[in-house]
Amino acid sequence: MKTSILLASLLISTATIANAQQIKRTPIPNSNFPISVAVTVPAGADTIYLSGVLPDVADPTAAKGTPAAYGNTETQTLSVLRKLQAALANEGLSFADVVSLRVFLVGDPRLDNKLDFTGLNNAFGQSFGTAAQPSKPARTALQVVALPLPGALVEIDLVAARVKN
């Protein structure tokens, strides 16, 4: 009987240790760039997938369906990140729980239709890898021809993870 209790206790404490594993983020060597090279999520963690989010109108006086209505890449990225932050909060999560993002960028007509990677990173660096929120997700950024919202330059989807205790 004592052996059974001891064995059960050992199994429970081993499971607790396994569940207490944290998300591992591998930084880019010698860089303060706000993304990780890799993010490892332990077995048993909940993963939450948020669909792509597009920006809100930044200038209602600008022509509808134009980049001027939504702002430049930095403005649009900030708008999208605010919306994602609110969606995460509805799930009881924050940017600290984000493990991966995919960013779809349309070339900015003001930049000869080239993507504004600097604008993206200026906005991104306000939410990830900061003193207030040091977690850095993995990220992919792609230039696309268009997005479903005319005038939008940015769409972001993400994956977050919650480690069970």
Side-chain angles (χ1 to χ4, degrees):
M1 181 75 162
K2 286 184 181 183
T3 305
S4 297
I5 293 172
L6 181 60
L7 182 57
S9 178
L10 181 61
L11 287 173
I12 289 170
S13 62
T14 302
T16 302
I17 291 169
N19 285 340
Q21 292 178 9
Q22 296 300 309
I23 294 169
K24 178 185 171 203
R25 298 167 192 273
T26 306
I28 298 171
N30 304 313
S31 173
N32 62 354
F33 201 63
I35 65 172
S36 294
V37 170
V39 178
T40 305
V41 177
D46 290 332
T47 52
I48 300 87
Y49 301 84
L50 295 186
S51 294
V53 173
L54 294 158
D56 287 327
V57 171
D59 181 358
T61 65
K64 184 178 178 180
T66 65
Y70 296 97
N72 63 20
T73 299
E74 184 172 350
T75 299
Q76 291 193 28
T77 302
L78 289 170
S79 172
V80 169
L81 290 173
R82 280 191 298 273
K83 291 169 77 173
L84 287 168
Q85 188 173 33
L88 286 165
N90 285 337
E91 299 296 325
L93 300 166
S94 72
F95 281 142
D97 301 302
V98 175
V99 296
S100 179
L101 295 104
R102 283 188 302 186
V103 181
F104 303 92
L105 299 165
V106 172
D108 189 331
R110 293 171 282 198
L111 301 174
D112 294 324
N113 293 317
K114 294 178 184 163
L115 65 86
D116 181 5
F117 203 62
T118 300
L120 168 69
N121 286 327
N122 287 344
F124 195 80
Q126 295 177 42
S127 297
F128 297 97
T130 67
Q133 199 297 100
S135 296
K136 298 178 182 181
R139 183 186 81 188
T140 300
L142 307 162
Q143 183 168 351
V144 297
V145 172
L147 294 169
L149 179 64
L153 301 174
V154 180
E155 181 175 358
I156 303 174
D157 68 20
L158 65 77
V159 178
R162 179 179 15 236
V163 177
K164 298 174 187 177
N165 292 326

